[in-house]
Amino acid sequence: MISALAITYNEAHNIERYIKSLSFADEIIIVDSFSTDATEAIAKQHNVTFVKRVFDDFSSQKNYAISLAKHDWVTFFDLDEVIPEALSKELMTTVESTPKEKAFLVNRDYHFMGKRIKYSGFQTDIAVRLFDKNYCKYNGKLVHEAIKTSAPIRKLKHHLKHQTYTDFDNYNQKLTQYSKLQAEALFKKNVRPNLYHFLFRPWYRFMHQYFFRFGFLDGKEGFIICYVHAFSVFKRYIQLWTMYRNIE
């Protein structure tokens, strides 16, 4: 028995496909952050549990969704991830085999601006997408949250497609949200931004992704994604700077 969980906000463009791809699950639970588009209306056309909760951070939102699951085994895919049939079958056979492992990693094939990104830091893009809720929970990070567990972990064979890009503005807004949450985490740690953060950290992010992680091999799309991610680091410290000065 599998509970398929998701958190959403304005995912009308993804929700239909996403729900249909979870047909293997015994229940589907969606925790929504009060979407302003048609996400709720579309979701409620299907046999899903749709719950609204004010968004505070990704870990809290996902851990709340886990608390609603009826079954021990849980899948937690993002709305911009495409689950192929081969992976769906592997998920089901894995759970049915009563494995000793309690969490399972899935490789994600990253797509950006219509192109599969093979480098730029995404060649090792992997995340837990199936786990036993009795042994696992999200680690409490406000953003880039990950499953925390002391139980054995194994990687599944089949990959999923991570189609994070819809348009440039949408992608930039997503990174801005991440930057804000990361700034909040740094603010709680009393980190004060300085020239090192404003100048070196963005430069290092670009150099690391574009040269050390071979982003140049991804062509112009590789340059764009490395540049945008470097700029998001700069925005993180701008956000942090404004927090110390109470600037809206």
Side-chain angles (χ1 to χ4, degrees), residues 144-184:
H144 298 314
E145 70 292 345
I147 283 292
K148 179 174 67 175
T149 182
S150 57
I153 299 176
R154 174 159 58 92
K155 186 171 73 171
L156 296 179
K157 176 182 177 182
H158 293 95
H159 294 205
L160 61 80
K161 181 180 179 181
H162 190 192
Q163 186 67 60
T164 187
Y165 182 89
T166 53
D167 58 64
F168 190 81
D169 287 339
N170 176 271
Y171 191 79
N172 194 40
Q173 288 171 6
K174 184 180 296 186
L175 291 181
T176 298
Q177 181 189 21
Y178 293 163
S179 296
K180 183 176 180 181
L181 289 170
Q182 288 169 329
E184 290 175 1

Side-chain angles (χ1 to χ4, degrees), residues 200-231:
F200 179 79
R201 292 298 295 271
W203 173 84
Y204 179 78
R205 170 59 68 86
F206 180 83
M207 296 295 288
H208 180 75
Q209 285 190 241
Y210 193 69
F211 292 106
F212 303 146
R213 300 289 280 166
F214 306 111
F216 60 89
L217 295 178
D218 286 318
K220 64 179 180 298
E221 293 85 0
F223 176 84
I224 293 169
I225 198 168
C226 293
Y227 176 83
V228 172
H229 278 249
F231 188 65

Side-chain angles (χ1 to χ4, degrees), residues 37-79:
D37 65 0
T39 298
E40 181 177 3
I42 296 171
K44 287 185 174 179
Q45 295 174 9
H46 301 271
N47 183 26
V48 304
T49 300
F50 193 90
V51 179
K52 295 181 181 180
R53 181 179 185 269
V54 174
F55 181 87
D56 40 15
D57 61 75
F58 286 100
S59 284
S60 297
Q61 200 80 339
K62 289 187 173 183
N63 284 330
Y64 175 75
I66 292 171
S67 73
L68 302 178
K70 294 179 182 177
H71 308 301
D72 290 339
W73 283 101
V74 165
T75 64
F76 221 130
F77 291 94
D78 294 339
L79 270 288

